[in-house]
Amino acid sequence: MIKIGMLLGDRYEILEKIGTGGMSDVYKAKDHKLYRPVAVKVLKQEFSENTNFVAKFRSEAQAAAGLMHPNIVNVYDVGEENDIYYIVMELVEGITLKKYIEKKARLSVKEAISIAIQVSMGIEAAHNNHIIHRDIKPQNIIISRDGKVKVTDFGIAKAATSNTITSNVMGSVHYTSPEQARGGYSDAKSDIYSLGVTLFEMLTGRVPFNGETTVAIAIKHIQDPMPSPRDFVPEIPVSAEQIVQKCTQKSPDRRYQTMVEVIEDLKRSLINPDENFVVIDDGETSGQTRVVADGDMAKPRKKAPRKEHEEEHLRLNDAEKPRPKKSSSGKSREPVHTEDEEEDEYDPKMERVTTILAVIAAVLIGCIILFIAGKTLGIVDLEEIKSRFGTSEKSEEVEMPDVAGMSLTRAKEMLSGLGLDYEVTYEESSEYEEDIVIGSNIKTGRTVATGTTVKLTVSAGREGTNIPDVSGKSLAEATALLEKDGFKVSRNETPSDTVEKGYVIGQSPESGEKAPRGTTVTLQVSSGPDSSKVSVPSVMGMSEMDATVTITETGLTVGNVEEVNYEDPAFTGLVCYQSYSVGDYVDPGTAVDIKISKGPMDVTYGFNANVESPILEDPAFISGTVVTVILMSAEGQELMRTSTATFPVTMNVSGIKGSGVGKVVFQYTAAAQPVTTTDPVTGEVMTVPGTEEPRMIERPVQFVPETQN
C-alpha cells in the first residue's frame, strides 16, 4: 500500500497523490538520485493480483520506457517492490486536452491542427518503436504550461510485436476504432482512427457518436457513417474536414497508413486550409476485373499451393517481411532460388512498360509543379479554369451571386445555401460599415462548381474593430480570442509576483481601443516570479522562536517584534501579524516585522454621575432623610459607598471591570405618618404615632468604557 513519505526503489519519495485512473493511481514524487520531480503511476491492487496482467503491464512499460520524444510524457523507470508495480514518468504541469476543450467549448481550426500535429509526432515516435498506444483520447493528451503538447498513458500501450489485446475492455469507447470495438486485431491505424475522433472533438467541441451505453456507442463506430465536422461548425475548412474523414474510415486500409502521411496533410492544411488536397480511397477500384496483357497470358507462371498464395497475400497487406518457411524437420529455412527461376522472372516487355510509366509519371509531376508555381505566383486562375473547362468531379454548377453590400451573415447564408464555401478577409473602409461585404474574388454571374471557396473581402469599419480584453487569461485562450477577431498576436514575457506563469498581465493596444483587423496585439505574459526574489513564508500562529527560524531559513531577517492585544484568545503568545503577505516576493535579507499576541484587550469602565434621591422609586421619601448610597457592579462587587442627607450626590469611579453595567443601592429608615382616628360612640379623637421601617431601593446604571490597554 502506498503511503505519503514512503520511498520506492530506495529512490522515489512519494509526496502527494495527484490523480487516479481505471487501472492505476498517480503520485507526485521526488527522485533522490537525479534531484528532480517525477510522476509515479502505481498499478491498483485488484490488477496487481492478476499474474497475467502484471506480466503484460511490466512488458508494456519496459517497451514504453524506450520512448524519448518532446511530444511524449517520457517513461524513466519501471519497478516492483512488495507487490507494488509502478512506472516512473516525466512530471508535466498542465491541463488535459479534454479539460481545455471543455473550457473553450471548441478550438479554433488553427489551434486544433497545431495540437494534432504535435500529438501525431508523438504517436509517430511510438509507432517507429513498434508501440501502439490503443487509447488515444483528449484525456491522455496534456498541454503543459509552456504550450507543449504531450501524449501520456502508455500504461495500456503494447509493443506491436507482442500479443494483441481487446481494446473494448481497456480503451475509451468514444474514441475506439471499429476493429477495436469488435474486439479484433488493432494496429497503428487504430491510433490514426482515434486521432481523427480527437481532432473532430477539438474542431466541434463534441464527440461524433454518443449513446446511453458503451455497447450502443461501439455499434455506432462499427455501423454508422462518420458525421462531418462541418455539420456542426460550417466554417471548418475543407482540408480539416477531409483529414478527419480519412482518419476515421471504417476500413483500416482506406485510412492514412502511417503517421507520416497524417503529419504531412496536417501541415499542408495549416498553410492552405481551403485547399482540396486530401485523397480518400472511395473503395470503387477494389474487386474490379483486371485486364491481363497478352504478353502476361503467354508467359507461363509457376503454380503454388493455394494456401501459400493466401499467406503471401496477407503478408503483403500487413506490410510485413515474408516469414521463413519451415522444413520438414520444423526448422526455419530461407527459400532457395535457382538461376532458371531468376531468368523466368525477367520480362523484357514488362521492363519497357515500366520505363514508359516512369516517363509519364515524371511528366505529370513536372506539370503539377508548374501548376502549383503558377497558382502561387497568380499566373494560373484555378476558378477560371474550373468555370471554362469544368472539373473532373461530377459536381453541380451554380451562378455566383452578387454579395457586395450584404451583411457578412447574410452572405454566408446565401453562399452556404448554394453549396459554396467561403473565406473571409478584412480591410478598413470608409465607404462600407463594419461587417459589410465589399466584394469577392469571383465575379457576379460566373458559373462555378459547388464546393468552390469564395474569398470575401469584408469591411472592418472606418475605425477598425474593438480589441477584446484578454488580461488575466491564459496565453492560449488570449491568442484564440484575438485571432478570432482577426488580430495577430505577439508576446513579451516579464516576471510577475502576482500573475501566474503563462497568463496575460497586460496588452498593447489596450482593450476597448479600435484597430484594423490584422493589427498585431502585443501581450505581456507572466514568466512567473523573479528568480532573484524570495517568497515570504507564513508565520501566523507560530511562536516567536519558530517564526524567527522560518523567516531566517527563507533568506529573510526578522525586523521589529512587538507585543499587542489580539481579539482571538487562541493566538495568545503566538504571532498574530506579519508585515508582508504570504507569497509576496521580496529581495533576500528583507526585514519582516512580527507582532506577538498578549491576549484579548482588557476593557475597563468608569462611572461619573450625580445620583438623585430615591424619591423617583419611593414617593413617600422625605427629603432630609439620611441615606446610604452604594455603587455596585453587576457581578456584585461594591465600587463606592457614601451616606448623605443632601441630593444629588456625586459618584466618580474608574477602572471598573466586568460587563459594563451595574446598580446604585439606596438604604435608609423611613418613618410612617401618625394615624388619627375618632371613636364613633364617645366621639373621642385618638392619634397613633407613626413607626420607622428600613427601606432598600435599587436603581440600574450603565458604565462608560474607558481607554483600552
Side-chain angles (χ1 to χ4, degrees), residues 242-243 245-246 249 254 278-283:
Q242 290 180 339
I243 289 172
Q245 292 290 343
K246 186 167 183 178
Q249 292 291 305
R254 294 179 60 190
V278 179
V279 179
I280 301 178
D281 179 12
D282 58 9

Side-chain angles (χ1 to χ4, degrees), residues 182-252:
R182 293 189 189 97
Y185 179 82
S186 56
D187 59 7
K189 292 185 282 294
S190 302
D191 283 352
I192 292 175
Y193 183 95
S194 300
L195 174 67
V197 178
T198 300
L199 180 56
F200 183 104
E201 185 174 358
M202 284 193 283
L203 293 169
T204 65
R206 52 162 291 161
V207 291
F209 297 124
N210 228 323
E212 295 182 358
T213 65
T214 55
V215 173
I217 299 170
I219 290 174
K220 288 182 179 180
H221 278 288
I222 296 171
Q223 297 180 350
D224 291 6
M226 177 66 63
S228 168
R230 298 177 78 179
D231 293 343
F232 306 99
V233 184
E235 58 264 30
I236 292 174
V238 63
S239 63
E241 175 200 33
Q242 290 180 339
I243 289 172
V244 171
Q245 292 290 343
K246 186 167 183 178
C247 285
T248 56
Q249 292 291 305
K250 302 294 183 190
S251 170

